[in-house]
Amino acid sequence: GRSYKYISVDVDGFVALVELRRHQAHNALNLELMEELVAELERLDVDDDVRCTVLTGSTRAFAAGADISEMVDATAVEMKLRNQFRCWDRIRWLRKPLIAAVNGYALGGGCELAMACDIIVAGENAKFGQPEVNLGIMPGAGGTQRLVRAVGKARALEILLTGEPITAEEALQFGLINRVVPSELCVQEALRIAQVISSKAPLAVQLIKESVGKAYDSTLQDGMEYERNCFYLLCGSQDKTEGMRAFMEKRQPFFQGR
Ligand code: CO8
């Protein structure tokens, strides 16, 4: 496979597992790590042999945020010119589902990275938080936006204004994440969900993700129209013919993504 400095990639069947490997810094997301990560996610996104990706960190940290040492001496102009968020914006355009398997710290940019994923599975020891306020800054990659949509205004403000992390159990109760499992089973459970998704028709999966994305930032009317057009589009796919015939013939479908 490809070799990277800060990540590793494993593909098994239709499922890719991407692991952040800057463990000594709690996977602090420096510029080079983010560049590697997003480039690889984009590569997997156009690989016909991959249908779903799991993103994970170490047992102690999913990611402890942006790399503070890269920001400590930077001026506003330098930060603006650096444009590090461009990388983050590209995650939004990935078409295939991305599942976060979170153990340990998901703080600041790490929490934002988890929220940029489609599904979040957490180990019991996971901690989610937006501690930027402790550093005299605020989130810059969706922390004030995605968090509000996920948990509501009151909870989001408490998390953002106190900087205090919440537990996996709280995150589950707040609707930030999908499920909590024993830490040692976290990656396994995320891979299981990824396998289930990758057994479905890839085009249907892609258009469902797109349509749900639309629900985030359009009116109900526009979203409904978008959904319907995606529905009609799928009716023209070979996988629709295969899926419905397989049902009628009482057999398993064989989906090819066309
Ligand atoms: N940046 C740089 N280095 C870090 C970071 C970080 N975010 N987090 C941890 N490290 C380093 C530590 O400096 C330490 O390095 P060294 O061994 O060389 O001293 C090493 O990782 C281990 O960390 P600790 O010794 O602190 O480990 P502890 O187990 O005592 O504590 C914590 C773990 C609680 C995670 C602690 O390290 C911590 O609080 N980290 C900072 C968390 C934080 O404030 N995150 C927010 C960063 S700001 C941000 O994310 C802004 C987002 C903007 C959008 C993203 C754009 C890219």
Side-chain angles (χ1 to χ4, degrees), residues 24-26 28 60 64-68 84-85 88 105 109 112 131-132:
Q24 78 290 354
H26 286 314
R60 294 185 55 215
D67 191 321
I68 298 167
Q84 71 195 96
F85 298 113
W88 291 74
Y105 299 109
E112 291 171 310
E132 285 89 345

Side-chain angles (χ1 to χ4, degrees), residues 70-85:
E70 286 183 337
M71 300 185 289
V72 60
D73 293 321
T75 66
V77 170
E78 280 162 0
M79 290 297 285
K80 172 74 182 162
L81 293 174
R82 186 183 285 177
N83 195 16
Q84 71 195 96
F85 298 113

Side-chain angles (χ1 to χ4, degrees), residues 82-206:
R82 186 183 285 177
N83 195 16
Q84 71 195 96
F85 298 113
R86 191 196 36 205
C87 222
W88 291 74
D89 293 337
R90 283 155 60 198
I91 297 175
R92 246 198 354 260
W93 298 111
L94 297 173
R95 297 169 308 170
K96 295 174 186 171
L98 191 55
I99 303 179
V102 177
N103 275 315
Y105 299 109
L107 302 178
C111 188
E112 291 171 310
L113 182 59
M115 288 193 290
C117 296
D118 302 298
I119 291 173
I120 305 176
V121 177
E124 287 161 336
N125 69 346
K127 289 244 187 297
F128 297 84
Q130 299 286 164
E132 285 89 345
V133 72
N134 298 330
L135 302 168
I137 56 169
M138 63 181 281
T144 64
Q145 303 302 302
R146 288 204 176 97
L147 193 60
V148 179
R149 285 166 165 81
V151 307
K153 178 184 160 187
R155 284 163 173 161
L157 277 171
E158 186 179 334
I159 292 165
L160 289 158
L161 295 178
T162 67
E164 287 174 358
I166 59 171
T167 63
E169 207 48 61
E170 287 169 320
L172 180 67
Q173 190 199 322
F174 292 177
L176 179 62
I177 65 176
N178 294 68
R179 62 189 64 197
V180 181
V181 296
S183 305
E184 66 277 12
L185 299 180
C186 179
V187 173
Q188 194 182 310
E189 176 63 5
L191 288 171
R192 188 194 65 78
I193 296 170
Q195 274 149 16
V196 172
I197 293 171
S198 68
S199 72
K200 313 303 178 190
L203 275 175
V205 168
Q206 181 182 324

